[in-house]
Amino acid sequence: MQSTPEVSLIMPVYNQASFIRSSIRSLLNQTFHDWELIIINDGSTDGLKSCIQDFIDSDPRIHYLENPRNEGLGHSINRGLDTAKGEFIAYLPADDLIDPDHLELLLDTIKSAEASLAYSGLRYKKDDISGEGDYMTVMDEVDDHWLQLVQVMHRRTTDRWMERSEGVTDDLGVMFWNRFTEGNPGVVTTRRATCEWVSHLYQRHRIMNDRASGGIYMYKTYYGVSCPVRYKSHQGSLLDEVNHYAPFRAPQKQDGLKILIVGELSYNPERLYSLEKRGHKLYGLWINNPLCWNPTGNLAFGNITNIPFENWEEEVRRIKPDIIYAQLNYTAIDLAHHVMKKNTGIPVVWHFKEGPFYARNLGTWEKLMTLYREADGAIYINDVAREWYHQFMPAPNAHEFVMDGDLPPAEWFKESHSPRLSEQDGEMHTLVAGRLLGITAHDIEQMARHRIHFHIYGDVFQHQARNTIDEAIALAPDYVHLHPSCPAEEWTREFSQYDAAWLHWHRSRNGGDLSRAAWQDFNSPARLSTYAIAGLPMIMADNTGHRVHYQEYLQRLGMALPIMSFSDLARKWHDKPLMESQRDNAWRNRHEFCFDSWIDRLEDFFRTVIDNKTK
C-alpha cells in the first residue's frame, strides 16, 4: 500500500481516451516517483476507463474516480483536491505531456523558495493543429491566456476552483489562480520549459473561443450541458442564461401542433417560446458542430425535447410530429437535406436565411437548391431574396412564404424609451451594434467633422475591428465611443437614446439586375430588428437604382435614412421635421420586426403545407 505521497496530480478528463495513455506514460517516466495520480472521468462517453484499466490495475499510485455525467472542469478538479493526500498539488490534463524532470524541478523550486506556487515554461504550437508548425516556447503565460494546468504546482490548501453553478469561463485565472495567489503569496518560476500544451481542435479554450469557431453553444453541445449557465469567455461578453431567459421557461399547454425543429436557431433563439405559448409542442434535432451564433440543443429557455441524431428516425416515428421546420443558416443545410431525403412522410418546411454564397463555396449549393425545390414548403427571408432564388429554379415551390428568420420575441419590445443624447449637446449620436461592415476610420473622421458621434457596441465586434477603431480614435477621439454588448432586455432603453443606427455600409453594383446581386443586396441583417425595437431610423448608403432589400423595405415603412455622403447625413439630421417623421414611423412600425406579430401567418402556412401533404 502506498504511503502518503508528497505530490498529488489531478487529471480531469472528458472524452480524451485517444490522448490519455501518452499523458500517463509521460508521468511514469518521471525522475521523481513519490506521487499519486487522481483521474476524474467527467462523464466521458468514449470508453475512457477501458482504455486505461491496465494502468489502474498495475500501479497503486493511480486512482480512478468517475462522475456519472459531465460536471465541468472546476467540479472535477475540486473532487480531486478533496481526495488528494499530497502536500503539493500538480495537474496533468489528459491531452498534455510532461518531461522526465518536470515534477522534480517544480518541487525543488517551490521548496527552495518556500513559495506557494511554482510554474514551469511550456512548449506549444501556436494556431497549429496540423502538426507541421514549429514549437513556441514560453517561460510564463501563453499570449492572451493564463498559466496552464500542466505547468503549475502549488501547496495544498482549502482553496477550491470555481464550479459551473457559479459561472463558466475559459479563464483559469478567474477560475482559481487569481484567488489562490492573492491568498497565498509567493509565486516562482523554474525558468525551464518542461511540459507540452498539446494543440488539438477540442481543447477547452478552443471550444469556448467566441472569436473563432467556438462559444457557448459549442460548449454546451460538446459537454452536454443542459442547465442554464452564466458564461463569460475571456474574449466575449457575459451571457447570463439564468436571468436572461427567466421569462421563457414556464411550461405551456400543448394542444397545438407537434413541431420538429431541425438545424440551428441563429440570433434570438428564444423566439421559439412564442410557439410554445400558442400551444405547440417543440422537439429539436440539432447540428452537432455549432458556431458561436448557432444556438442548438440544451437550450436555456422553453421546454423543447431534444432528439439524438443516432436514432432520430425511430424517435420521429414514435413522437409523430405534424411538421418538420428546418432552419436557419448554411451550417444547417447538410442536416436538413439528410432529414428531407429520408422521406419520413412528415411535411418539411425549409426556412433559410444566411449563406447562399457560403453554400456555393463549401459545396452545399446543390443541397440548398434541392431543399428549396423539394421541401413541402419554402420560407424566404424577404421578397428580394425570393426573387434571387427563383432565378435558379425551373418553377417556384408550390408553397412559399416570406418571413425573416431570426426575429426577436415580444418580450424584448419594451414600451418606455430614453431621452436622446442629442437633446443634451445638440450633436447627432449614431449607433452600430455589430460589425463595422464597410465603415473605415476615415469615414468616422468625416462624420466627426460634421459633429456626428459614432457609438460602437459589442466586445467581440470591437476586437474584430480593433485596428480600425484605434485609428478612428486617433483621428476623432471625442466622437468614437465604445460600449459593451447590450442584452436584449435593455435594447429599448439603451438604444433609444440615439438618433439613428447604421446598417451595413454597402454600395450595390447590381444596377437593378438580381443576377448580379451580392449577398448584401438581399440580406436582412439581424440588426434590423435590434434597432427597430428601439424605434431607430436606419442609415445606409443610398442605392437608388439598384435592388437592395433593406433600403426598399425600410423606405416603404418610412424608417430609412439613405445617404450619398456624410454631409448628406448631417443635412438630414438638421432637417428636424424629417427626423421626427422617421422616428415616429420607426416607433409605430417596430412590431413588424417582432416574431409574435408573424405567428398567425406562420401557423396558417404550416397548416396549409400539412393539409396539402395529407391530401
Side-chain angles (χ1 to χ4, degrees), residues 146-172:
W146 39 82
L147 290 176
Q148 295 304 312
L149 288 170
V150 69
Q151 65 187 124
V152 173
M153 178 181 289
H154 62 79
R155 294 184 186 272
R156 180 157 61 96
T157 67
T158 58
D159 296 285
R160 291 297 181 265
W161 286 69
M162 185 171 78
E163 298 198 14
R164 186 177 286 159
S165 59
E166 303 170 75
V168 173
T169 180
D170 55 344
D171 190 331
L172 302 186

Side-chain angles (χ1 to χ4, degrees), residues 315-369:
E315 283 295 292
V316 165
R317 286 192 293 269
R318 182 183 65 81
I319 64 177
K320 298 181 175 63
D322 297 295
I323 196 162
I324 295 173
Y325 185 20
Q327 56 184 290
L328 185 64
N329 293 321
Y330 71 92
T331 51
I333 291 173
D334 278 325
L335 179 59
H337 183 269
H338 169 79
V339 169
M340 185 184 73
K341 283 299 186 178
K342 287 295 183 179
N343 296 316
T344 61
I346 300 162
V348 176
V349 167
W350 171 236
H351 192 172
F352 185 62
K353 180 158 185 175
E354 187 156 343
F357 293 98
Y358 280 115
R360 287 181 177 182
N361 293 329
L362 296 173
T364 55
W365 171 255
E366 181 56 38
K367 291 180 180 179
L368 172 60
M369 297 311 299

